[in-house]
Amino acid sequence: DIQMTQSPSSVSASVGDRVTITCRASQGISSWLAWYQQKPGKAPKLLIYAASSLQSGVPSRFSGSGSGTDFTLTISSLQPEDFATYYCQQANSSPTFGPGTKVDIK
Amino acid sequence: EVQLVESGGGLIQPGGSLRLSCAASGFTVSSNYMSWVRQAPGKGLEWVSIIYSGGSTYYADSVKGRFTISRDNSKNTLYLQMNSLRAEDTAVYYCARFSLVDRMSSSSGHFDYWGQGTLVTVSS
């Protein structure tokens, strides 16, 4: 199985900050990577697929990059509604998720 | 509008069985890849099972031999039959549509629509 790691596990930030989350795969997955946002008590929401494609309806302050084993999710200017937990997910083989990164208020 | 609505969760004793349902609207279940993903309390997301449009099924090692994914095309509904339940199966279970994007420049498999989840608690 392909293992996914994320860093940091949590980050404290202020509204307007630029936030970057990193995801690493245990082996190369090309661009088979997606990012999700989850708020407490809610289902995950797809933000990014194919490593860098923005899902319809998702604000352009979210962006993704990377290929192979190393990927990044960037929030260019953090908004109040962005405080949540973010997960990466690979589908090069049976889907697996990263452990999550919690973004909370500084 | 695409909608997924799960039902069937509840409190069950270890060793018991439960069947989860996921009623879909706005698209055809049998024409898509459909999956179950679970989340233990306070934990991360874990993929559980998938059924392809052609009918092939796959499972996480943690549930293989105990869980069965299926669908009823006439009801446009996805199911997860869970047998021999264990305490570690306690989680919110989400159904989700799995979409494949196959392009020359990049490809992806991702969960683009999710239900609201149903809680399964395995405890005596």
Side-chain angles (χ1 to χ4, degrees):
Chain A
D1 286 2
I2 297 175
Q3 308 301 319
M4 307 300 291
T5 57
Q6 287 182 234
S7 61
S9 57
S10 65
V11 57
S12 296
S14 301
V15 172
D17 284 353
R18 182 182 183 90
V19 173
T20 299
I21 299 169
T22 298
C23 177
R24 176 165 289 174
S26 59
Q27 63 189 75
I29 58 170
S30 185
S31 64
W32 290 78
L33 187 99
W35 289 96
Y36 302 85
Q37 176 193 68
Q38 187 179 33
K39 296 181 180 179
K42 301 294 187 181
K45 173 187 174 183
L46 176 67
L47 300 175
I48 301 285
Y49 64 93
S52 60
S53 296
L54 193 67
Q55 173 69 351
S56 176
V58 174
S60 59
R61 63 180 179 273
F62 291 93
S63 64
S65 64
S67 182
T69 60
D70 295 318
F71 302 85
T72 298
L73 173 71
T74 299
I75 310 171
S76 60
S77 178
L78 198 66
Q79 298 302 299
E81 60 268 30
D82 301 336
F83 292 98
T85 300
Y86 293 84
Y87 295 93
C88 61
Q89 169 251 316
Q90 68 79 25
N92 189 66
S93 63
S94 295
T96 51
F97 292 88
T101 295
K102 184 177 182 180
V103 178
D104 60 20
I105 301 172
K106 191 172 187 178
Chain B
E1 179 191 7
V2 170
Q3 195 169 14
L4 295 167
V5 179
E6 301 99 334
S7 60
L11 175 63
I12 187 76
Q13 291 189 341
S17 297
L18 210 56
R19 188 179 81 157
L20 306 182
S21 300
C22 172
S25 57
F27 72 100
T28 302
V29 164
S30 61
S31 299
N32 286 270
Y33 290 12
M34 296 297 297
S35 199
W36 290 95
V37 176
R38 69 184 180 183
Q39 186 170 36
K43 303 297 184 182
L45 300 165
E46 179 187 18
W47 170 75
V48 172
S49 181
I50 193 167
I51 182 167
Y52 288 1
S53 52
S56 298
T57 59
Y58 300 90
Y59 301 91
D61 288 343
S62 58
V63 306
K64 200 173 295 182
R66 300 188 298 123
F67 290 12
T68 302
I69 191 171
S70 64
R71 66 191 182 209
D72 185 328
N73 297 344
S74 67
K75 295 182 178 179
N76 208 33
T77 297
L78 178 73
Y79 300 102
L80 185 68
Q81 177 66 44
M82 304 185 295
N83 299 331
S84 302
L85 282 161
R86 307 166 180 168
E88 55 264 35
D89 296 318
T90 294
V92 174
Y93 284 74
Y94 296 101
C95 70
R97 190 177 79 171
F98 185 79
S99 286
L100 285 174
V101 172
D102 192 2
R103 306 185 291 227
M104 285 186 63
S105 57
S106 63
S107 299
S108 179
H110 50 272
F111 302 99
D112 57 356
Y113 291 99
W114 297 67
Q116 84 287 353
T118 187
L119 176 62
V120 173
T121 303
V122 184
S123 175
S124 55

